[in-house]
Amino acid sequence: MIILSIESSCDETAAAVTENGRRVLSNEVNSQIPIHTVYGGVVPELASRSHIRAVQKLCDLALADAGIGRGDVDAVAVTYAPGLIGAVLVGVSFAKSAALALGKPLIPVHHIRGHVAANYIAWPELEPPFACLVASGGSSLILDVRDYTDYRVLGSTRDDAAGECFDKAARVLGIGYPGGAQIDALARTGDPDRYPLPRSRVEGNPYDMSFSGLKTAVVNLAHNARQSGQSLDLPDLAASLCRAVSDTLVSRAAEAASALGYGKLAVAGGVAANSVIRAALTREAEARGLRTFLAPLEYCGDNAAMIGCQGYYEYLAGVRGSSSLNAYATMSPDSRFCRF
Ligand code: KG4
């Protein structure tokens, strides 16, 4: 089954063609980073306008790269939640028109489920059930993936996502936007024990997390250094920050995976590209006798291939969007809350 998929939930416009939920025939991503860099963060209205300009071209490019025509498309999948509402709406509106024009089914896909499905591209042997850590710019979640379309949220951040913590730290340190990848690169030559940064502890759920305290700790370090005329060692601070984020995410994800007893732990999302987190997760999972599945680096960040792959399984489960499909800014990946 050939799916044309569209992703526009934040600052990447993406279109892809995938086959049977596992094979990527094409994957086009148009990053808006140059547009938002000057503001140090995503400007929602600019993101929406840029999606409008890019989406049609990217879909044509995705079809051409896949070597297929419009008539070969069996279904259209689209991210419909969560994300910046104006941005998600662009993809949803375009996908509704495309499905109608092609006379093919429309498949609404939850963005986080898409991130999880990035693992299916690289790991043909990976099938639910498994535990999955999803860490991105907007979410930090530990999931029980009971089946392809049956999710349970085991833990989540109570405040900021891990990616937000990296991005804010990078901004205050003048490293650039988005900061996660730059902090990761700087950390390679740094000493992770140099700056003592807090690890969150939250009451009530052992798998829940918090990153706002860590974010504030880095902001305070930067402000205090500026006021006292001292300079911070950026590689050391980057390494200390990566270690702190990694400790928080990895300990909880590994603990949850062990408790579930499936023997499998997957990781996905933009922050899953972090080399410290990937290494720590692999080490910790190995020590616990878990098999680790790391989403490939090129599919960690937002892309449409992952939406097409999850879309295939949503299609098999009977999920269809009608012409009244809406976009949603927030929604849990837990199936009990998914609406169409
Ligand atoms: O998954 P994604 O592209 O967008 C969302 O769905 O939110 O994730 C973007 C986030 C940003 O916060 C970015 O700084 C972070 O992923 N990121 C990283 C790395 N590469 C991207 N964070 C840490 N280390 C990286 N190598």
Side-chain angles (χ1 to χ4, degrees), residues 24-69:
V24 180
L25 303 184
S26 66
N27 186 39
E28 309 298 331
V29 182
N30 179 57
S31 170
Q32 299 178 1
I33 288 174
I35 295 173
H36 303 292
T37 296
V38 61
Y39 305 101
V42 181
V43 181
E45 181 58 24
L46 294 183
S48 307
R49 290 174 193 218
S50 175
H51 288 311
I52 291 170
R53 283 193 296 272
V55 66
Q56 165 89 58
K57 246 182 280 171
L58 280 171
C59 286
D60 287 341
L61 206 58
L63 293 174
D65 272 8
I68 63 166

Coordinates of all heavy atoms in Angstrom, one line a residue, residues 24-69:
V24 N 10.6 3.4 2.9 CA 10.5 4.8 2.5 C 10.9 4.9 1.1 O 12.0 4.6 0.7 CB 11.4 5.7 3.4 CG1 11.4 7.1 3.0 CG2 11.1 5.5 4.9
L25 N 10.0 5.4 0.2 CA 10.3 5.6 -1.2 C 10.8 7.0 -1.4 O 11.6 7.2 -2.4 CB 9.0 5.3 -2.0 CG 8.4 3.9 -1.9 CD1 7.2 3.8 -2.8 CD2 9.4 2.8 -2.1
S26 N 10.4 7.9 -0.6 CA 10.9 9.3 -0.7 C 10.6 10.0 0.6 O 9.6 9.7 1.3 CB 10.3 10.1 -1.9 OG 8.9 10.3 -1.7
N27 N 11.4 11.0 0.9 CA 11.2 11.7 2.2 C 11.8 13.2 2.0 O 13.0 13.4 2.0 CB 12.0 11.0 3.3 CG 11.7 11.6 4.7 OD1 10.6 12.0 5.0 ND2 12.8 11.7 5.5
E28 N 10.9 14.1 1.9 CA 11.3 15.5 1.6 C 11.0 16.3 2.9 O 9.9 16.3 3.4 CB 10.5 16.1 0.5 CG 10.4 15.3 -0.8 CD 11.8 15.1 -1.4 OE1 12.7 16.0 -1.2 OE2 12.0 14.1 -2.0
V29 N 12.0 17.1 3.3 CA 11.8 17.9 4.5 C 12.3 19.3 4.2 O 13.4 19.5 3.7 CB 12.6 17.4 5.7 CG1 12.4 18.3 6.9 CG2 12.3 16.0 6.1
N30 N 11.5 20.3 4.4 CA 11.9 21.7 4.2 C 11.9 22.4 5.6 O 10.9 22.6 6.2 CB 10.8 22.4 3.3 CG 11.2 23.9 3.1 OD1 12.3 24.2 2.7 ND2 10.3 24.8 3.5
S31 N 13.1 22.6 6.1 CA 13.3 23.2 7.4 C 13.1 24.7 7.4 O 13.6 25.3 6.5 CB 14.7 22.8 8.0 OG 14.9 23.6 9.2
Q32 N 12.4 25.2 8.4 CA 12.2 26.7 8.5 C 13.2 27.3 9.4 O 13.0 28.5 9.7 CB 10.8 26.9 9.0 CG 9.7 26.4 8.2 CD 8.3 26.7 8.8 OE1 8.2 27.3 9.8 NE2 7.3 26.2 8.1
I33 N 14.3 26.6 9.8 CA 15.2 27.2 10.7 C 15.7 28.6 10.3 O 15.7 29.5 11.1 CB 16.4 26.2 11.0 CG1 15.9 25.0 11.8 CG2 17.6 26.9 11.7 CD1 16.9 23.9 12.0
P34 N 16.1 28.8 9.0 CA 16.5 30.1 8.6 C 15.5 31.2 8.9 O 15.9 32.4 9.2 CB 16.8 30.0 7.1 CG 16.9 28.5 6.9 CD 16.1 27.8 7.9
I35 N 14.2 30.9 8.8 CA 13.2 31.9 9.1 C 13.1 32.3 10.5 O 12.9 33.4 10.9 CB 11.8 31.3 8.6 CG1 11.8 31.1 7.1 CG2 10.6 32.3 9.0 CD1 10.5 30.4 6.6
H36 N 13.2 31.3 11.4 CA 13.0 31.5 12.9 C 14.3 31.9 13.6 O 14.2 32.4 14.8 CB 12.3 30.3 13.5 CG 11.0 29.9 12.8 ND1 9.9 30.7 12.9 CD2 10.7 28.8 12.1 CE1 8.9 30.1 12.2 NE2 9.4 29.0 11.7
T37 N 15.4 31.6 13.0 CA 16.7 31.8 13.8 C 16.8 33.2 14.3 O 17.2 33.4 15.5 CB 17.9 31.6 12.8 OG1 17.9 30.2 12.4 CG2 19.2 31.8 13.5
V38 N 16.4 34.2 13.5 CA 16.6 35.6 14.0 C 15.8 35.9 15.2 O 16.1 36.8 16.0 CB 16.2 36.5 12.8 CG1 14.8 36.4 12.3 CG2 16.5 38.0 13.1
Y39 N 14.7 35.1 15.5 CA 13.8 35.4 16.7 C 14.2 34.5 17.8 O 13.7 34.6 18.9 CB 12.3 35.1 16.3 CG 11.9 35.9 15.1 CD1 11.8 35.4 13.9 CD2 11.6 37.3 15.3 CE1 11.4 36.1 12.8 CE2 11.2 38.1 14.2 CZ 11.1 37.5 13.0 OH 10.7 38.2 11.9
G40 N 15.1 33.5 17.6 CA 15.6 32.6 18.7 C 14.5 31.6 19.0 O 14.6 30.9 20.1
G41 N 13.5 31.4 18.2 CA 12.5 30.4 18.5 C 11.4 30.4 17.4 O 11.5 31.4 16.6
V42 N 10.5 29.5 17.4 CA 9.5 29.4 16.3 C 8.5 30.5 16.5 O 7.9 30.6 17.5 CB 8.9 28.0 16.3 CG1 7.8 27.9 15.2 CG2 9.9 26.9 16.2
V43 N 8.2 31.2 15.4 CA 7.1 32.2 15.4 C 6.0 31.5 14.7 O 6.0 31.3 13.5 CB 7.6 33.5 14.6 CG1 6.4 34.5 14.7 CG2 8.8 34.1 15.3
P44 N 4.9 31.2 15.4 CA 3.8 30.4 14.9 C 3.3 30.9 13.6 O 3.1 30.1 12.6 CB 2.8 30.4 16.0 CG 3.6 30.5 17.2 CD 4.7 31.5 16.9
E45 N 3.0 32.2 13.5 CA 2.4 32.7 12.3 C 3.3 32.6 11.1 O 2.8 32.2 10.0 CB 2.0 34.2 12.5 CG 1.3 34.9 11.3 CD 0.0 34.2 10.9 OE1 -0.6 33.5 11.7 OE2 -0.4 34.3 9.7
L46 N 4.6 32.8 11.3 CA 5.5 32.7 10.2 C 5.6 31.2 9.8 O 5.8 30.9 8.6 CB 6.9 33.2 10.6 CG 7.0 34.7 10.8 CD1 8.5 35.1 11.2 CD2 6.5 35.5 9.6
A47 N 5.5 30.3 10.8 CA 5.6 28.9 10.5 C 4.4 28.5 9.6 O 4.6 27.8 8.5 CB 5.5 28.1 11.8
S48 N 3.2 28.9 9.9 CA 2.0 28.6 9.1 C 2.2 29.1 7.7 O 1.9 28.3 6.7 CB 0.8 29.2 9.7 OG 0.6 28.9 11.1
R49 N 2.6 30.3 7.5 CA 2.7 30.9 6.2 C 3.8 30.1 5.3 O 3.6 29.9 4.2 CB 3.1 32.4 6.3 CG 2.0 33.2 6.8 CD 2.5 34.6 7.0 NE 1.5 35.4 7.8 CZ 1.2 36.6 7.6 NH1 1.8 37.3 6.6 NH2 0.3 37.2 8.3
S50 N 4.8 29.7 6.0 CA 5.9 29.0 5.3 C 5.4 27.6 4.9 O 5.7 27.1 3.8 CB 7.1 28.9 6.2 OG 8.1 28.1 5.5
H51 N 4.6 27.0 5.7 CA 4.0 25.7 5.4 C 3.1 25.8 4.1 O 3.2 25.0 3.2 CB 3.1 25.1 6.5 CG 3.9 24.6 7.7 ND1 5.0 23.8 7.6 CD2 3.8 24.9 9.0 CE1 5.5 23.5 8.8 NE2 4.8 24.2 9.7
I52 N 2.3 26.9 4.1 CA 1.4 27.1 3.0 C 2.2 27.2 1.7 O 1.9 26.6 0.7 CB 0.5 28.4 3.2 CG1 -0.5 28.1 4.3 CG2 -0.2 28.8 1.9 CD1 -1.2 29.4 4.7
R53 N 3.3 27.9 1.8 CA 4.1 28.1 0.5 C 4.8 26.8 0.1 O 5.0 26.6 -1.1 CB 5.2 29.2 0.8 CG 4.7 30.6 0.7 CD 5.9 31.6 0.7 NE 6.7 31.5 1.9 CZ 6.4 32.3 3.0 NH1 5.4 33.1 3.0 NH2 7.2 32.2 4.0
A54 N 5.1 25.9 1.1 CA 6.0 24.8 0.7 C 5.2 23.5 0.4 O 5.7 22.6 -0.3 CB 7.0 24.5 1.9
V55 N 4.0 23.3 1.0 CA 3.4 22.0 1.0 C 3.2 21.3 -0.3 O 3.5 20.2 -0.5 CB 2.2 22.0 2.0 CG1 1.0 22.8 1.4 CG2 1.7 20.6 2.3
Q56 N 2.6 22.1 -1.2 CA 2.3 21.5 -2.6 C 3.5 21.1 -3.3 O 3.6 20.0 -3.8 CB 1.5 22.6 -3.4 CG 1.5 22.3 -4.9 CD 0.2 21.4 -5.2 OE1 -0.9 21.8 -5.0 NE2 0.5 20.3 -5.8
K57 N 4.6 22.0 -3.3 CA 5.8 21.7 -3.9 C 6.5 20.4 -3.4 O 7.0 19.5 -4.1 CB 6.8 22.8 -3.8 CG 7.1 23.6 -5.1 CD 8.1 24.7 -4.8 CE 7.4 25.9 -4.3 NZ 8.3 27.0 -3.8
L58 N 6.4 20.3 -2.0 CA 7.1 19.1 -1.4 C 6.3 17.8 -1.8 O 7.0 16.8 -1.9 CB 7.1 19.3 0.1 CG 8.2 20.2 0.6 CD1 8.0 20.5 2.1 CD2 9.6 19.6 0.4
C59 N 5.0 17.9 -1.8 CA 4.3 16.7 -2.2 C 4.6 16.3 -3.6 O 4.9 15.1 -3.9 CB 2.8 16.9 -2.1 SG 2.2 16.9 -0.4
D60 N 4.7 17.2 -4.6 CA 5.1 16.9 -5.9 C 6.5 16.3 -6.0 O 6.7 15.3 -6.7 CB 5.0 18.2 -6.8 CG 3.5 18.6 -7.1 OD1 2.7 17.7 -6.9 OD2 3.3 19.7 -7.5
L61 N 7.4 16.9 -5.2 CA 8.7 16.4 -5.1 C 8.8 15.0 -4.6 O 9.5 14.1 -5.1 CB 9.5 17.4 -4.2 CG 11.0 17.5 -4.4 CD1 11.3 17.9 -5.9 CD2 11.6 18.5 -3.4
A62 N 8.0 14.8 -3.5 CA 8.0 13.4 -2.9 C 7.5 12.4 -3.9 O 8.1 11.3 -4.0 CB 7.1 13.4 -1.7
L63 N 6.5 12.7 -4.7 CA 6.0 11.7 -5.7 C 7.0 11.5 -6.8 O 7.3 10.4 -7.2 CB 4.7 12.3 -6.3 CG 3.5 12.3 -5.4 CD1 2.3 13.0 -6.1 CD2 3.1 10.9 -4.9
A64 N 7.7 12.6 -7.2 CA 8.7 12.5 -8.3 C 9.9 11.7 -7.8 O 10.3 10.8 -8.5 CB 9.1 13.9 -8.7
D65 N 10.3 11.9 -6.6 CA 11.5 11.2 -6.1 C 11.2 9.7 -5.9 O 12.0 8.9 -6.0 CB 11.9 11.8 -4.7 CG 12.9 12.9 -4.9 OD1 13.1 13.3 -6.0 OD2 13.4 13.4 -3.8
A66 N 9.9 9.4 -5.6 CA 9.5 8.0 -5.4 C 9.3 7.4 -6.7 O 9.1 6.1 -6.8 CB 8.2 8.0 -4.5
G67 N 9.3 8.2 -7.8 CA 9.1 7.6 -9.1 C 7.7 7.1 -9.4 O 7.4 6.2 -10.1
I68 N 6.7 7.8 -8.7 CA 5.3 7.4 -8.9 C 4.4 8.6 -9.3 O 4.9 9.8 -9.1 CB 4.7 6.7 -7.7 CG1 4.7 7.7 -6.5 CG2 5.4 5.5 -7.3 CD1 3.8 7.3 -5.4
G69 N 3.3 8.4 -9.9 CA 2.3 9.4 -10.2 C 1.3 9.5 -9.2 O 1.2 8.7 -8.3

